[in-house]
């Protein structure tokens, strides 16, 4: 289902729209488009002036690298200097899909894309609209579309065309509407710039499946390694944040915490999963109990609760199991 919106920059993903989107990209304009993870804010990755517009639109610092989105697996070798065996295995198994690989950059890749680093992030999305757009762009001579998530810097990622418009409607030429994103959280990012593959950002792909394909364990990003690792703005502690101050609260403490805020004269919006609505919640959103359903709706829920302008946003804590790692990572950042 696509968006019925007052914004004229939103257009349903027809063939004509995708041709127009590809032309706009080729002429250096910004186009937002759906992927299976979240919506991206795209620019021609071969055009540094176009890529610079992404940073201006988002209000993002210029030294943050952006991911290059490609139409075909062969394109990884265009943007990367070489493809280590680990990359070839991951590409064969998971691309197209919600996976970004950080690889040594090819010489022609601009600093606008890499943030001045020696590496480049590359991803081949599986969303049919993203694929059609990338193919139309390639047919017009384009090689890749640089795209971060299509939100203002530091804000929650968009999972609908309307979310993109809410943040960026006056700063994009076109928003291609492909409905709601299937995964709802950003891609898994793996850096292959050192001996050992390093998980920079968990996503919806299972770690067990990734490690089985690699044949070795993934290194996790921890504090000690954070300095040596390539910069990833998604790894900043305060990323993916709603505007309302947010807190993670265990299920059995939710009632008491709501009551406390009520006594203080404060209004609490609450994101629930397993427990029933606290008596003193000002607004609630009940998220799906399963991890995939939860991830798919998480950002929409945060945006909807945020819009009430309450004093605090309480989020029922989720399991600490590995299955929930990517969701919990986003919740910890949202509540930092
Ligand atoms: O699912 C996704 O990955 C979405 C969709 C649109 O593809 N994109 C996305 O982009 O989440 P962004 O820019 O919001 O987050 C990408 C992360 C950033 O933290 C960026 O710093 C990191 O990837 N990144 C990109 N290139 C990198 C590089 N060469 N080295 C290290 N990190 C990199
Ligand atoms: Mg982002």
């Amino acid at each position: 289902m696509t968006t019925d919106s007052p914004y004229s920059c939103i257009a349903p993903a027809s063939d004509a729209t995708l041709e127009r989107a590809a032309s706009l990209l080729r002429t250096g304009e910004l186009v937002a488009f759906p992927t299976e993870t979240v919506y991206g804010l795209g620019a021609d990755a071969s055009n540094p002036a176009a890529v610079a517009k992404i940073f201006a639109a988002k209000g993002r610092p210029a030294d943050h690298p952006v991911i290059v989105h490609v139409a075909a697996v062969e394109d990884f070798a265009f943007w990367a200097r070489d493809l280590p065996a680990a990359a070839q295995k991951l590409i064969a198994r998971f691309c197209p899909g919600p996976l970004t690989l950080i690889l040594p950059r090819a010489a022609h890749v601009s600093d606008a894309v890499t943030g001045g680093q020696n590496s480049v992030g590359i991803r081949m999305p599986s969303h049919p609209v993203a694929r059609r757009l990338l193919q139309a762009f390639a047919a017009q001579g384009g090689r890749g579309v640089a795209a971060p998530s299509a939100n203002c810097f530091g804000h929650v990622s968009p999972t609908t065309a309307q979310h993109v418009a809410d943040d960026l409607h006056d700063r994009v030429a076109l928003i291609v509407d492909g409905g709601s994103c299937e995964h709802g959280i950003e891609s898994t990012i793996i850096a292959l710039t050192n001996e050992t593959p390093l998980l920079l950002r968990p996503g919806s792909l299972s770690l067990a499946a990734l490690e089985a394909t690699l044949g070795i364990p993934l290194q996790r990003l921890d504090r000690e390694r954070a300095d040596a690792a390539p910069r990833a703005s998604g790894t900043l502690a305060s990323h993916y944040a709603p505007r309302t101050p947010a807190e993670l609260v265990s299920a059995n403490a939710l009632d008491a915490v709501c009551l406390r805020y009520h006594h203080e004269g404060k209004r609490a919006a609450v994101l629930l999963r397993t427990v029933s609505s606290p008596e003193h919640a000002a607004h609630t959103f009940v998220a799906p109990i399963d991890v995939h359903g939860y991830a798919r709706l998480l950002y929409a829920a945060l945006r909807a609760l945020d819009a009430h302008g309450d004093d605090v946003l309480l989020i029922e804590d989720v399991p600490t199991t590995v299955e929930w790692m990517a969701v919990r990572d986003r919740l910890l950042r949202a509540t930092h």
Side-chain angles (χ1 to χ4, degrees):
M1 203 180 65
T2 53
T3 313
D4 189 16
S5 164
Y7 293 115
S8 58
C9 54
I10 300 182
S14 64
D15 286 344
T17 297
L18 292 172
E19 279 305 319
R20 182 157 68 95
S23 304
L24 285 165
L25 288 168
R26 287 297 283 158
T27 53
E29 300 297 328
L30 299 183
V31 173
F33 62 97
T35 80
E36 69 277 21
T37 58
V38 300
Y39 274 71
L41 178 62
D44 184 348
S46 305
N47 178 345
V51 177
K53 289 185 185 174
I54 293 176
F55 293 85
K58 290 194 57 152
R60 190 187 207 196
D63 63 347
H64 286 218
V66 283
I67 298 169
V68 178
H69 295 68
V70 297
V73 288
E74 292 74 31
D75 297 323
F76 278 82
F78 175 77
W79 293 98
R81 192 175 62 232
D82 54 23
L83 296 182
Q88 293 176 28
K89 288 183 199 167
L90 291 175
I91 292 167
R93 172 74 181 78
F94 297 105
C95 297
L99 175 67
T100 298
L101 298 182
I102 309 297
L103 292 160
R105 74 196 259 184
H108 64 83
V109 187
S110 75
D111 285 342
V113 167
T114 67
Q117 305 187 74
N118 289 325
S119 58
V120 59
I122 314 171
R123 158 157 140 75
M124 181 182 174
S126 62
H127 193 294
V129 172
R131 297 198 65 184
R132 279 160 64 208
L133 173 62
L134 291 165
Q135 283 157 7
F137 181 70
Q140 295 186 24
R143 297 306 300 252
V145 173
S149 52
N151 51 280
C152 290
F153 181 63
H155 196 209
V156 176
S157 291
T159 52
T160 67
Q162 184 62 46
H163 293 163
V164 179
D166 289 342
D167 276 23
L168 301 169
H169 66 93
D170 54 352
R171 282 168 261 174
V172 284
L174 175 65
I175 301 170
V176 180
D177 191 350
S180 299
C181 301
E182 180 195 337
H183 292 293
I185 56 172
E186 304 80 358
S187 61
T188 303
I189 304 183
I190 298 179
L192 297 171
T193 44
N194 289 308
E195 306 278 279
T196 322
L198 174 66
L199 179 69
L200 286 182
R201 182 174 72 184
S204 51
L205 293 177
S206 108
L207 289 192
L210 289 162
E211 291 182 336
T213 298
L214 285 165
I216 46 168
L218 273 168
Q219 215 169 50
R220 311 283 175 85
L221 189 64
D222 57 30
R223 253 172 224 293
E224 283 152 58
R225 280 188 212 100
D227 287 341
R231 277 188 304 275
S233 57
T235 63
L236 293 179
S238 69
H239 226 66
Y240 313 112
R243 319 250 189 233
T244 314
E247 279 175 44
L248 211 50
V249 181
S250 69
N252 55 23
L254 263 178
D255 268 324
V257 174
C258 268
L259 183 63
R260 177 162 56 77
Y261 278 114
H262 179 71
H263 283 318
E264 291 172 8
K266 291 185 174 159
R267 297 164 62 83
V270 190
L271 178 55
L272 300 160
R273 189 175 75 94
T274 65
V275 296
S276 54
S277 180
E279 191 183 343
H280 295 289
H283 298 96
T284 56
F285 187 109
V286 183
I289 207 152
D290 70 293
V291 66
H292 298 296
Y294 189 99
R296 189 177 303 132
L297 281 184
L298 173 61
Y299 290 148
L302 292 178
R303 282 175 179 260
L305 289 172
D306 218 8
H308 296 302
D310 291 331
D311 299 296
V312 64
L313 201 169
L314 306 178
I315 302 173
E316 179 189 333
D317 204 354
V318 299
T320 52
T321 54
V322 66
E323 220 202 339
W324 283 84
M325 181 171 76
V327 162
R328 209 143 188 290
D329 166 81
R330 306 312 190 275
L331 293 181
L332 290 171
R333 291 172 206 287
T335 55
H336 183 72

